[in-house]
Amino acid sequence: MNNKTIVFTGGGTGGHVYPALPIIELLQEKGFRICWIGSHTGIEKRIIAEWNLEYYSISTGKLRRYFSFKNFTDIFRIIAGLFQSIKLIKKINPAFVFSKGGFVSVPAVAAAWLLKIPSFTHDSDVVPGLATRINHRMTQNTFLAYHESRKYMKSHDDKIVISGNPVRSDFFNNEIPLPETWNKKLDGRPLLLILGGSSGAKQINLLVRECLDELTRHFTVIHQMGDELFQQEAEREHYHPVPYLNEELPALLQKADLALCRAGAGTLWELAVTETPGILIPLRVGSRGDQILNAEIVSQRGMALILEEKDMTPSGLLALIMKLYQDESLRKSMVENCRNFVNKKAEDVIVSYLLKES
């Protein structure tokens, strides 16, 4: 293939960016040049800078499912973003465009469609987002994480590929070394890893704080609190709060006896790949309900437990953690179910389709 350039697009949250990295790494190994089209101020701009990729900004407007005056003003931003995308894609002249979803991806995919350049999209959640459903009409293939997701796409069923979710290769390596500073903190005790996401989870932080005395009797607790919610002074014996975990996360998950976390799609697949028994507290307020459905899917498969709303108290959380920790047969069953769930690497599936186009 003469054209070795690919445009990626997506953003708004880390979940619309991070799963693209394993795909990008595979393509770079095959000699492809990767560019990214995102927003002027979104989280994707920071992440892509860390990956040392070419980044191009466009105007964006949010795609809302409810009435808001901003729906009218954002139309003009979306139109501006479309014309900017057309100009950029003409200039870059990629072999194809790959979308990871989020409202910023729609102008880029539409521009590719208008320019008769092939495009592809991937969605990580059980219920594909609105941007993915719009892009689906214009793509060559749409990659979905779950078989259950297919029913939410109203047309072009022949374009759908069930690929799973891409996960960084480090998470598949059960021999990855943990820095000695972390090994000293673990001190040979059972490890409870608490993950609130990059921005943290206030609800989880408050619940954990009320349980700490009892939790630290049984576990070494490593708690990702989020950059904005981080409290260094909270550190105490057997309790280690951190603002964010990145490079050390795969090794910590491999070592963890239990994980307590939200139910973002990326986190759930990282738990599955590392075969880590999990307790999920899905985000319920201020979301479209995707985490609730994500959690239900993995719970039904016997891979994790859900802390239900009626049990959303310190005592309810502590009871569920201790129930899972003390039930060795349940944890072994979860490990086996995780192993059976991840039977292929999503990035291999996706790249095999992309290379057909190249």
Side-chain angles (χ1 to χ4, degrees), residues 285-299:
V285 179
S287 77
R288 60 187 176 92
D290 49 309
Q291 287 205 10
I292 298 172
L293 291 170
N294 290 345
E296 288 175 351
I297 286 290
V298 298
S299 175

Side-chain angles (χ1 to χ4, degrees), residues 203-256:
Q203 180 189 38
I204 292 178
N205 293 355
L206 292 174
L207 285 172
V208 168
R209 186 172 65 188
E210 297 298 317
C211 302
L212 267 183
D213 287 342
E214 190 64 24
L215 288 176
T216 53
R217 282 184 56 212
H218 301 277
F219 304 96
T220 291
V221 180
I222 296 176
H223 183 179
Q224 178 181 278
M225 300 185 78
D227 291 323
E228 295 180 7
L229 303 175
F230 175 60
Q231 296 175 326
Q232 178 67 54
E233 66 275 12
E235 183 156 7
R236 54 196 269 190
E237 187 179 17
H238 305 314
Y239 175 66
H240 308 286
V242 294
Y244 188 58
L245 294 167
N246 187 15
E247 296 303 320
E248 62 272 72
L249 180 57
L252 284 172
L253 271 174
Q254 293 284 1
K255 287 185 176 294

Side-chain angles (χ1 to χ4, degrees), residues 14-70:
H16 291 305
V17 186
Y18 284 118
L21 180 57
I23 304 169
I24 289 171
E25 288 176 335
L26 273 182
L27 291 169
Q28 286 178 323
E29 288 174 7
K30 299 180 184 299
F32 286 90
R33 166 196 174 207
I34 307 296
C35 307
W36 194 289
I37 293 178
S39 66
H40 293 290
T41 59
I43 189 175
E44 63 272 18
K45 188 172 186 178
R46 174 180 63 79
I47 297 170
I48 299 307
E50 293 173 356
W51 295 352
N52 295 315
L53 299 177
E54 297 174 53
Y55 186 86
Y56 300 92
S57 301
I58 62 169
S59 300
T60 60
K62 189 172 182 179
L63 304 168
R64 299 176 183 85
R65 301 169 184 77
Y66 53 87
F67 176 80
S68 169
F69 181 72
K70 288 184 177 180

Side-chain angles (χ1 to χ4, degrees), residues 258-289:
L258 302 177
L260 171 67
C261 52
R262 287 296 195 198
T267 298
L268 297 185
W269 281 73
E270 288 163 2
L271 292 182
V273 166
T274 56
E275 301 173 6
T276 308
I279 293 174
L280 309 177
I281 304 180
L283 182 64
R284 298 176 184 273
V285 179
S287 77
R288 60 187 176 92

Side-chain angles (χ1 to χ4, degrees), residues 104-118:
V104 71
S105 70
V106 175
V109 172
W113 181 74
L114 289 170
L115 294 170
K116 301 189 184 307
I117 293 173

